[in-house]
Amino acid sequence: MSGMVEVWRTPSRHAPVDAVVTLPGSKSITARALVLAAIADGPSRLVRPLRARDTDLMAAGLRALGVQVDADGDDWLVTPAELRGPAEVDAGLAGTVLRFLPPVAALATGPVRLDGDPRLRERPNAGLIAGLRDLGVEVEDGGRGRAPFTVHGTGAVRGGAVTVDASESSQVVSGLLLAAARFDAGIDLTVDGSLPSLPHVAMTVRTLAEHGVAVTATDRGWQVAPGPVRALDRVIEPDLSNAAPFLAAALVTGGRVTVRDWPGDTTQPGAQLDRLLTAMGARVQRTDGGLQVTGGPRIAPLQADLGDVGELTPVLAALCALADGPSRLTGIGHLRGHETDRLQALDEVLSAVGARVEQLPGGLVITPGPRRPARLDSYADHRMVHAAALLGLAVDGVEVTDPAAVTKTLPDFRERWAGLLGEPAGVGR
């Protein structure tokens, strides 16, 4: 019947898992590679990019601007073209589209309107809009500093010195840096205040350098020199943030999980899982097959500043609810502006299964309690589905509504989760 909300009863597991997991490409790297390929000096091939809602929306947004993005088996072939409007861009709930495409749209001729899901209109974007205006771009947003808004491109951006407030998202910095080589004067970007998720900016800087863009760190931010963006065929790394629930399952069940093809050198924040899971009692080692995590007799509580790795918070917070003492997670106030207010959502979800949660201005204190079954909301947030699945391993009777939120970055998450457990894929009802 139309209008019915899907509910997934997450599988519980009281025996150790022993599995090897292969994951699709990184969302963050795929998004950056698409943008740079679109403004490069020739065609590029992206090998094994992530194909999920966020990246499909990015590709569709670039196509709306005139860029050719063609599927070739599992790859994408990207052929730049003259950027043009008028165009309509659907960002869905993707922060990458919300913040990476407007600077590209400013290089187009004609108006480009960006909108998306209802929650997207709540995601902060004033820092990017103000930065574009200071660079000479006309942006019409009705004074909201949020979607929907229209970028009135003239085919060129003046560029030069600009100061931005990126305290609510590092994507403001990355979005401006990605397009800056095509600005007339490049960019001399100063960051005003705090900058969360710094590894994501490091990822942007490295990706730019790989495309031949001259980018330099300063004591205030970054400078990008004007010039061509070199076309580049790129193999996309596995998404290490999506590895989090699978590796964490080893701790919950006292088992062993290996994620294949773990890169030896990467800027992905998920690379810090080895350190964080070790702190929670896991044995972590590199093997010929990938990164292997083995759970021990206990899950240790975690005291950590997660400011650089905020996207790992939902899974780590779920582990904290299953630990043997109270945990304190800080540096994550910016998560209130993600797909949902993740601190509020985690408070509600963890409390529902029996934990005691205290919200701090920029964090959470999580104290485990007697576990109980619960029906949990996904909040249309893929990471909250991951957290619910992990809780369900240890708590019988956990259900999650709207599990299809995982299509954002890992459409077949439930099938992969069932495979991890050696079970048939569960279905909603």
Side-chain angles (χ1 to χ4, degrees):
M1 181 184 299
S2 63
M4 290 186 65
V5 176
E6 185 182 13
V7 178
W8 178 40
R9 186 179 181 91
T10 65
S12 60
R13 176 77 173 213
H14 302 292
V17 298
D18 189 357
V20 178
V21 177
T22 301
L23 293 174
S26 161
K27 178 197 78 168
S28 298
I29 295 177
T30 299
R32 287 160 174 78
L34 276 170
V35 169
L36 291 174
I39 59 174
D41 59 7
S44 301
R45 176 183 289 270
L46 307 188
V47 180
R48 295 192 297 277
L50 176 68
R51 297 298 304 272
R53 188 184 186 218
D54 276 19
T55 52
D56 285 342
L57 287 170
M58 181 71 82
L62 292 169
R63 290 189 192 104
L65 296 174
V67 178
Q68 193 172 334
V69 183
D70 298 316
D72 183 22
D74 291 335
D75 301 348
W76 262 327
L77 299 178
V78 183
T79 306
E82 181 179 351
L83 301 173
R84 49 166 174 70
E88 298 275 343
V89 172
D90 177 7
L93 194 50
T96 48
V97 181
L98 176 69
R99 299 174 183 122
F100 290 5
L101 275 193
V104 177
L107 295 166
T109 53
V112 178
R113 185 177 187 272
L114 188 146
D115 201 0
D117 296 356
R119 169 63 183 173
L120 187 85
R121 297 184 174 191
E122 301 175 30
R123 299 195 71 171
N125 210 31
L128 178 68
I129 291 171
L132 286 172
R133 286 181 177 142
D134 288 346
L135 293 169
V137 180
E138 182 186 352
V139 183
E140 180 185 352
D141 71 335
R144 293 180 301 273
R146 302 170 188 261
F149 58 87
T150 299
V151 177
H152 292 275
T154 60
V157 175
R158 182 183 70 231
V162 64
T163 299
V164 298
D165 177 359
S167 59
E168 293 177 310
S169 176
S170 68
Q171 291 170 346
V172 171
V173 170
S174 288
L176 290 170
L177 293 180
L178 285 168
R182 292 285 305 276
F183 298 170
D184 293 345
I187 201 169
D188 183 359
L189 189 150
T190 297
V191 177
D192 181 21
S194 62
L195 178 61
S197 303
L198 189 58
H200 277 118
V201 179
M203 178 188 296
T204 299
V205 170
R206 176 184 288 191
T207 308
L208 284 165
E210 290 167 349
H211 281 264
V213 175
V215 53
T216 305
T218 70
D219 58 359
R220 300 168 287 102
W222 291 267
Q223 293 177 336
V224 175
V229 177
R230 188 177 66 236
L232 178 68
D233 294 344
R234 178 183 296 278
V235 179
I236 306 297
E237 297 175 3
D239 193 309
L240 305 189
S241 294
N242 276 337
F246 297 94
L247 294 175
L251 278 80
V252 175
T253 67
R256 179 175 59 187
V257 176
T258 300
V259 172
R260 288 189 188 275
D261 304 320
W262 197 272
D265 179 31
T266 181
T267 53
Q268 290 191 62
Q272 297 191 40
L273 280 166
D274 56 359
R275 171 182 64 84
L276 292 163
L277 295 181
T278 296
M280 299 192 77
R283 187 172 81 251
V284 181
Q285 57 186 333
R286 299 293 180 98
T287 70
D288 291 341
L291 187 80
Q292 184 179 91
V293 172
T294 304
R298 64 185 285 256
I299 300 175
L302 181 64
Q303 314 289 324
D305 183 333
L306 302 180
D308 283 346
V309 293
E311 64 197 41
L312 303 180
T313 300
V315 163
L316 293 173
L319 277 179
C320 292
L322 304 174
D324 59 7
S327 298
R328 186 181 184 92
L329 308 179
T330 58
I332 47 177
H334 61 288
L335 298 188
R336 295 191 184 279
H338 277 225
E339 285 82 348
T340 185
D341 177 342
R342 282 183 174 161
L343 300 192
Q344 178 64 29
L346 284 166
D347 185 345
E348 294 172 6
V349 161
L350 302 182
S351 297
V353 297
R356 296 195 309 277
V357 181
E358 176 190 354
Q359 290 192 47
L360 309 173
L364 297 170
V365 176
I366 302 166
T367 303
R371 300 170 187 174
R372 55 178 179 251
R375 176 172 290 188
L376 309 176
D377 195 344
S378 75
Y379 306 87
D381 186 336
H382 56 146
R383 305 291 183 205
M384 295 303 298
V385 179
H386 296 173
L390 194 66
L391 291 168
L393 291 181
V395 183
D396 291 333
V398 168
E399 298 176 327
V400 58
T401 62
D402 186 25
V406 293
T407 60
K408 181 177 174 66
T409 56
L410 194 56
D412 59 351
F413 170 73
R414 281 184 286 173
E415 290 77 12
R416 291 174 183 272
W417 194 248
L420 172 81
L421 305 177
E423 298 180 356
V427 295
R429 68 172 190 269

